[in-house]
Amino acid sequence: MMKRSHSNTNQQQQQMKNRDEKSWTHQLLTNLFSADKLHIPSTKTTHYRNKITYNLPLQCTDSEESDSGLSLLADEQLNEVCKSINDWAIERQQSTTDTRLFREVMAKCSRDGSIMIRLTVQRSSNIDDNNNWNKDTIQAFTTHLTTLHPNIKCICYNETNNKARPTKDAPLHLIYGNNMYLLEQTPSKRLQYQISPDSFCEVNFEVEDLQYKQTVKLIQEYQGAILIVSGRDINSYGLGFGSIQNEQTGQKVFSEVVAVQHCPLVAKDAKANFEQYKHEVKATVLHLPKDEMADGVSKALEEALERQNHPQVVVVTTGGRKGLHPSYLNFLTNHQSIVCIIYNSCSLNSLTVDVEGFISGGLYIDDFKSYDFFAGTKYSASVLRLLRRSKTLILPIGPAGSGKSTLASRLVDNSPTNMCTWWQRDLEFVKLRNANVGMNKCKSLLHEEMLSFLRGSGCGDDSSVRILDSTNGNSGARALYLKEAKPGLFIVIVLTCSDDIDQNDMVDLLLSRTIDRLEGGGALHPSFPTTVDEQRKKHLAILKGIEYPSNDEVERYKKECPRTVVLECDISDVSKLSSLPFEIFMGCSLSDKLQQVLQ
């Protein structure tokens, strides 16, 4: 297989990033991250990280470091421990003929202040040079370090023969402590669980506790549901959320948990942890490669649904820097028992890709909070609740040339794939006339096609956003459309000119917009004239016949569909007309509450 050059790969990644940054989904998320009301800042901007990795001699792998090489973000006691290790290694190297002993140190502290250390010992290719890390040296090292830092509970090490960091399957050797893990506890119910040296996940306890509490608020209403947890920390999430109780009733919220992780070390911890609390949380723990998660979780979920008499399903997942595997994301959007997805993100790039997939799959963002996950830096984290989008009908009202088709085209082209379904009366009319169908027969067939489109036959599930592109100028017809479609969200777009404009000036404006329908133009239409005089008569007739919605009519809409939104736009206002499609996209992709915050 030919390998791509780094320059080509970087160029493609940059092109993808540029494309994502121009996408409507990226703009929507950027707006959410920019809203102060949706952001929860950290109270600490330095010395908060409870996990840190250093290259040795001391060199911070974070971008934030002080003159000493220590991280400004790491918990001070972790910095002190790592500096002690560094100083010990340098002193030993200076007093002996030994070469460098350690390549790396990783340190983690728990909520109770306990510390776990994982060292990487630097081995030489010459076996005779590898006697510097022996039983006596190890004893001297552990005694020295634990005397200085008595809250150390575990020290272990792996080895490397080159400059590379060992992989996660490299053997670990315990040299201090009773167990090669640290005990952590869930923020709720304080359930203790083990985390192994290469599987620690939490970085900033303050922010993670806030995210945890926010998630509990978003999921505790789903009494009796099955919970799926996947991603960064299935131990804390699976045990913590799986054991939460309803604040009003005191009942345990979730009937069962399905926990899945691709990392063998995290999965190993999870199996031990869930076994310890099997009487507290009924769980199925899966260790699966990313490309097998969809099938494996689907099978486990079907068995759980059968056991629990098919309740609703809630998902709590983290995306990570690379996001969800496409097959797993498709499983989450397609399984109709899944009614709520909590997505915990630490990367805007992967979040954009995954939210694009969620919106395409029929979900919308119901709730959002951002956090200073790496406080004092430009990086933020976020927690989103995604729910199933209700059936949506978009009804633009206006004469020919007012911008209905342009609006629909931009909405379809810029929205995630499969989000919108566009039915164009004029286009369907052309198809029938080109097939030599008579005028009266055309009208009859078009009416049936339109009703089928509104009801949903043959155009996807009820989460699809339906755009009915026609003049839509008759109030009785609009009442029929609403009755047949039965939408959960009804967006009416009124395209007209201000009362100030003279009717002749409005016709001139519309004529300038339908110029391509003239003789020799590129948008000829069987039902629209091809001369200026005839087009003028047509525009006047349409304007005379349009019934724009009255206040009483809108109130009737709201009785049938409480989530009725009426957007009015002056078609001479090019700027407003241009921004309207994105405004509609936001309306279909965000809850009313989030839209109000952004306004």
Side-chain angles (χ1 to χ4, degrees):
M1 181 183 295
M2 183 180 294
K3 292 184 178 180
R4 291 178 296 175
S5 69
H6 286 296
S7 59
N8 286 341
T9 302
N10 292 338
Q11 186 178 8
Q12 290 173 351
Q13 288 174 342
Q14 186 61 45
Q15 288 172 348
M16 186 174 293
K17 181 181 179 184
N18 292 339
R19 183 205 66 194
D20 290 342
E21 289 180 354
K22 292 176 182 176
S23 77
W24 278 3
T25 303
H26 189 278
Q27 290 179 44
L28 178 150
L29 291 169
T30 300
N31 291 347
L32 291 173
F33 275 103
S34 301
D36 289 341
K37 289 183 179 179
L38 300 176
H39 182 71
I40 301 178
S42 173
T43 61
K44 295 174 67 176
T45 56
T46 59
H47 298 301
Y48 59 79
R49 288 193 63 151
N50 3 282
K51 168 190 168 187
I52 191 69
T53 302
Y54 288 111
N55 292 326
L56 296 178
L58 204 59
Q59 183 182 354
C60 183
T61 57
D62 280 340
S63 58
E64 301 288 329
E65 65 176 57
S66 62
D67 293 339
S68 65
L70 294 169
S71 172
L72 296 172
L73 305 183
D75 186 295
E76 290 180 279
Q77 65 172 338
L78 294 185
N79 274 343
E80 290 169 2
V81 169
C82 292
K83 188 174 186 309
S84 296
I85 294 172
N86 178 73
D87 293 348
W88 182 90
I90 290 176
E91 185 178 336
R92 177 177 176 81
Q93 189 173 344
Q94 290 173 345
S95 62
T96 65
T97 57
D98 292 341
T99 56
R100 182 168 64 139
L101 186 57
F102 300 136
R103 180 212 181 276
E104 180 184 84
V105 57
M106 184 182 290
K108 164 78 177 177
C109 63
S110 66
R111 283 178 171 81
D112 68 6
S114 300
I115 294 177
M116 176 165 56
I117 303 295
R118 193 216 66 197
L119 294 161
T120 295
V121 174
Q122 184 71 55
R123 292 302 198 184
S124 168
S125 56
N126 186 345
I127 298 176
D128 294 334
D129 294 336
N130 289 328
N131 294 323
N132 55 347
W133 186 243
N134 52 40
K135 186 176 180 180
D136 291 338
T137 307
I138 290 171
Q139 181 64 51
F141 170 74
T142 55
T143 300
H144 170 79
L145 194 61
T146 55
T147 300
L148 288 175
H149 307 283
N151 50 343
I152 293 177
K153 303 299 180 185
C154 169
I155 304 175
C156 61
Y157 74 91
N158 55 20
E159 300 179 351
T160 182
N161 291 313
N162 51 42
K163 294 181 179 180
R165 177 180 292 178
T167 60
K168 284 194 173 185
D169 56 2
L172 285 169
H173 310 278
L174 181 67
I175 56 175
Y176 179 81
N178 296 323
N179 300 291
M180 197 150 44
Y181 56 76
L182 196 64
L183 288 177
E184 189 51 274
Q185 57 185 3
T186 61
S188 62
K189 299 202 75 173
R190 304 300 176 191
L191 301 182
Q192 281 195 321
Y193 60 93
Q194 71 179 52
I195 47 173
S196 299
D198 269 323
S199 69
F200 31 66
C201 303
E202 294 183 307
V203 175
N204 183 342
F205 288 146
E206 178 196 25
V207 172
E208 281 153 349
D209 287 352
L210 288 170
Q211 291 178 317
Y212 187 96
K213 289 176 183 176
Q214 176 68 13
T215 302
V216 170
K217 282 174 57 180
L218 297 175
I219 63 178
Q220 68 172 351
E221 67 186 72
Y222 295 97
Q223 190 67 46
I226 292 171
L227 174 68
I228 298 175
V229 290
S230 58
R232 189 176 69 230
D233 197 354
I234 62 172
N235 291 289
S236 176
Y237 286 1
L239 290 174
F241 300 140
S243 62
I244 62 170
Q245 296 174 321
N246 185 286
E247 289 180 352
Q248 278 72 43
T249 66
Q251 288 182 292
K252 190 158 73 75
V253 173
F254 295 106
S255 57
E256 196 165 333
V257 175
V258 176
V260 60
Q261 172 56 242
H262 68 276
C263 173
L265 302 172
V266 177
K268 181 181 177 182
D269 280 343
K271 288 180 179 179
N273 293 326
F274 280 100
E275 177 62 25
Q276 180 185 356
Y277 294 103
K278 62 184 178 183
H279 299 299
E280 184 97 24
V281 180
K282 181 177 178 57
T284 302
V285 181
L286 304 171
H287 168 227
L288 296 166
K290 287 186 176 182
D291 59 353
E292 296 179 16
M293 284 174 62
D295 290 341
V297 174
S298 177
K299 183 175 183 296
L301 178 59
E302 292 308 315
E303 293 171 357
L305 285 167
E306 191 68 28
R307 285 192 295 269
Q308 302 299 335
N309 197 24
H310 297 275
Q312 294 178 319
V313 179
V314 172
V315 176
V316 178
T317 185
T318 56
R321 286 170 293 179
K322 296 182 179 179
L324 302 176
H325 192 277
S327 63
Y328 186 62
L329 191 149
N330 288 337
F331 158 72
L332 296 180
T333 58
N334 290 331
H335 201 295
Q336 291 305 301
S337 293
I338 296 175
V339 295
C340 168
I341 298 174
I342 306 297
Y343 186 102
N344 188 309
S345 170
C346 62
S347 166
L348 178 57
N349 289 336
S350 61
L351 176 64
T352 300
V353 174
D354 286 346
V355 167
E356 188 105 357
F358 285 130
I359 292 176
S360 175
L363 283 77
Y364 72 99
I365 303 173
D366 174 68
D367 202 289
F368 175 93
K369 284 287 187 298
S370 64
Y371 305 82
D372 292 329
F373 195 70
F374 295 103
T377 73
K378 63 181 180 179
Y379 299 104
S380 291
S382 57
V383 171
L384 298 75
R385 176 162 73 173
L386 298 130
L387 302 179
R388 295 281 173 193
R389 185 193 305 116
S390 58
K391 187 176 180 180
T392 300
L393 175 61
I394 296 176
L395 203 66
I397 302 170
S402 59
K404 301 184 300 298
S405 296
T406 301
L407 182 150
S409 176
R410 286 196 62 209
L411 193 54
V412 170
D413 291 345
N414 290 281
S415 296
T417 309
N418 301 323
M419 174 180 170
C420 300
T421 305
W422 179 16
W423 194 82
Q424 301 168 262
R425 184 190 292 270
D426 289 350
L427 179 63
E428 299 306 318
F429 179 81
V430 169
K431 290 179 182 177
L432 291 173
R433 292 295 284 158
N434 287 342
N436 296 319
V437 178
M439 187 67 74
N440 290 334
K441 183 68 173 176
C442 270
K443 291 179 180 179
S444 174
L445 289 174
L446 282 175
H447 185 71
E448 289 305 315
E449 279 186 29
M450 180 188 64
L451 292 181
S452 177
F453 167 78
L454 292 169
R455 293 165 184 159
S457 307
C459 63
D461 60 34
D462 278 351
S463 67
S464 178
V465 175
R466 291 167 171 77
I467 309 167
L468 179 55
D469 185 0
S470 182
T471 301
N472 299 321
N474 181 276
S475 60
R478 293 194 292 266
L480 174 67
Y481 303 159
L482 185 58
K483 178 183 176 182
E484 294 295 330
K486 296 181 175 60
L489 173 60
F490 185 34
I491 301 178
V492 181
I493 303 139
V494 181
L495 301 169
T496 185
C497 281
S498 66
D499 295 335
D500 302 354
I501 191 170
D502 178 83
Q503 190 178 61
N504 288 327
D505 290 338
M506 186 170 181
V507 170
D508 288 340
L509 175 62
L510 296 174
L511 276 169
S512 70
R513 303 267 181 91
T514 59
I515 193 169
D516 281 348
R517 299 185 186 185
L518 294 173
E519 183 88 41
L524 293 176
H525 188 280
S527 70
F528 212 82
T530 57
T531 67
V532 172
D533 288 342
E534 290 301 315
Q535 278 200 14
R536 182 177 292 278
K537 291 178 184 178
K538 183 77 171 181
H539 282 307
L540 282 168
I542 293 174
L543 287 172
K544 190 177 293 186
I546 286 183
E547 300 170 348
Y548 286 107
S550 64
N551 291 335
D552 289 341
E553 184 180 343
V554 172
E555 289 304 313
R556 289 196 297 272
Y557 294 162
K558 291 180 178 178
K559 287 181 180 178
E560 288 194 51
C561 178
R563 288 194 69 203
T564 292
V565 178
V566 178
L567 301 174
E568 297 186 12
C569 183
D570 185 337
I571 63 173
S572 62
D573 186 342
V574 177
S575 176
K576 173 67 175 175
L577 206 56
S578 177
S579 65
L580 197 56
F582 180 67
E583 185 179 348
I584 296 166
F585 168 74
M586 295 271 281
C588 298
S589 305
L590 297 176
S591 65
D592 295 343
K593 178 183 72 175
L594 290 177
Q595 290 179 69
Q596 289 170 5
V597 171
L598 294 184
Q599 286 173 358

